[in-house]
Amino acid sequence: QLISVMTYINWAIIISLFSLIVFAFVYANSLTKPIVKLTEVFARAEKGDLSVVANTKVQNELGVAAQGFNRMLNEIKILTFVDPVTQVPNYRSYLLDAHRLTREHPIKNYYVVVISIDDFKKINSMGGYGFGNETLKQFAELLNSSLYAYELVARYFGDEMVLFLHAESEEIIRLRIQRLLALAQWPFKIMDIEIHLSLSCGFASHNKLHEIETTIHNATLAKLKAKKLGGNIAVFFEDGIQQEIKKEQDIESELFKAIEKKELYPVYQPIVDLRTMQVSGFETLLRWNHPLYYQESIQTIITIAENNSQIIEIGRYILNESLLALKRLHQKYPDLVLV
């Protein structure tokens, strides 16, 4: 009888120990598994994957930690991908999403559209940077409201926005952009002041074999051409635009050396008094003795110089040369003038 009791006690102890071990294992696993999962989430976020979400359903301190992590990660995503002024995605977000859209929807014909507000400095001067920022915000809201599914808008640089649109043809995208230009001319009420926006727009078809940055560059070149044409217009990128911009950049670069090389010089066109048919003075004209650009329209040269403020130095140089010529002229003809 004693042996039976001892056997029963031994089995009870064994079963109790086994149950305790199983309970300890299950309990430890219930604690360590959420910790391991949370650690994995932390590791993925550390590597740059901001799409991860921590499990907040754990009913202990780990669940509270997961909630805090998710809030922190959401703030990081906002700071990383959202423009603080306009509250639309920023350029970094645009690049990631554009790559994703072309990968997930490869059959669509995508276009990059770069839009700049004409004379934005004037808008800033009307009410300060707060006024300018509110203008940008409402402008971004207008663009955002015009998007279809699988399209993007983002803040580019300064007063520029960049869109990623799709359409069946270039003609359709042109019509959409024209509607945007027209909508922008409707009055915006900013801080009780009504303003009308004028936009310069460049757009380019996205070749899926090229990087999205290449298409953005092409659309930006087309936007620069729109600015040169006076603004409030949309220009489609063509190869000729790139060549034209490259030529202007080369002329600009050569102009910086022109004075030092004494390539710029004045010529004097006679002014005839029709009453007496006598020469009353001379009009001063600019010429450029350049080996490559000597036949370029002088008005084109002057426009390029005006756009980069070189015209001030050029004007000062030509004025000095003209005054020296006038001094020599007055030694013989004191009544003649130069204009």
Side-chain angles (χ1 to χ4, degrees), residues 26-255:
V26 172
Y27 182 72
N29 190 53
S30 69
L31 289 178
T32 59
K33 189 174 181 180
I35 294 174
V36 171
K37 289 290 185 183
L38 192 58
T39 303
E40 290 174 353
V41 169
F42 288 173
R44 287 173 59 189
E46 184 183 12
K47 292 178 180 179
D49 184 0
L50 301 184
S51 64
V52 294
V53 178
N55 182 16
T56 59
K57 295 180 180 179
V58 182
Q59 301 297 319
N60 54 31
E61 289 82 356
L62 291 176
V64 176
Q67 292 175 7
F69 173 80
N70 289 340
R71 286 195 298 269
M72 178 188 70
L73 198 63
N74 188 56
E75 287 297 320
I76 291 174
K77 284 193 286 188
I78 291 173
L79 292 173
T80 305
F81 296 120
V82 177
D83 175 65
V85 173
T86 61
Q87 297 303 305
V88 298
N90 59 20
Y91 182 58
R92 181 178 182 179
S93 175
Y94 177 91
L95 292 178
L96 293 173
D97 288 341
H99 283 298
R100 175 180 56 79
L101 286 176
T102 53
R103 185 175 62 252
E104 294 176 356
H105 307 281
I107 63 171
K108 294 185 180 296
N109 297 319
Y110 282 105
Y111 295 84
V112 170
V113 184
V114 175
I115 302 179
S116 174
I117 300 175
D118 295 329
D119 203 9
F120 187 68
K121 289 182 180 178
K122 181 179 178 182
I123 293 175
N124 269 334
S125 66
M126 291 174 65
Y129 287 107
F131 187 87
N133 286 344
E134 184 62 26
T135 301
L136 287 173
K137 185 177 180 181
Q138 290 199 28
F139 176 45
E141 290 172 356
L142 171 68
L143 296 178
N144 201 29
S145 67
S146 69
L147 298 183
Y148 298 156
Y150 313 118
E151 293 186 334
L152 306 171
V153 61
R155 174 91 179 272
Y156 193 20
F157 295 110
D159 62 291
E160 293 182 344
M161 302 288 177
V162 58
L163 307 176
F164 198 56
L165 309 180
H166 59 78
E168 294 180 2
S169 67
E170 181 187 322
E171 186 59 33
I172 292 176
I173 211 72
R174 283 183 183 273
L175 290 174
R176 287 188 64 186
I177 292 172
Q178 289 300 329
R179 286 199 293 269
L180 277 177
L181 294 179
L183 280 174
Q185 291 182 338
W186 288 15
F188 282 74
K189 196 162 189 179
I190 314 291
M191 298 180 182
D192 295 325
I193 300 175
E194 282 194 355
I195 62 171
H196 303 262
L197 297 182
S198 171
L199 308 177
S200 291
C201 176
F203 63 107
S205 176
H206 178 54
N207 186 330
K208 298 175 180 64
L209 300 177
H210 295 161
E211 293 293 330
I212 187 68
E213 291 89 342
T214 300
T215 313
I216 294 171
H217 174 70
N218 294 341
T220 301
L221 291 179
K223 186 266 301 180
L224 291 174
K225 178 67 180 293
K227 287 274 190 187
K228 292 179 190 298
L229 293 174
N232 199 32
I233 191 174
V235 173
F236 181 69
F237 174 80
E238 298 170 327
D239 290 336
I241 290 179
Q242 191 160 13
Q243 295 170 2
E244 181 182 328
I245 296 293
K246 176 66 168 57
K247 181 180 178 181
E248 289 184 3
Q249 289 173 340
D250 289 344
I251 290 175
E252 183 178 309
S253 178
E254 289 298 305
L255 269 176

Side-chain angles (χ1 to χ4, degrees), residues 305-325:
E306 286 175 339
N307 288 339
N308 62 22
S309 301
Q310 285 176 291
I311 195 66
I312 297 173
E313 186 178 358
I314 292 172
R316 188 181 295 117
Y317 173 75
I318 294 300
L319 177 61
N320 185 64
E321 292 292 305
S322 299
L323 289 174
L324 291 174

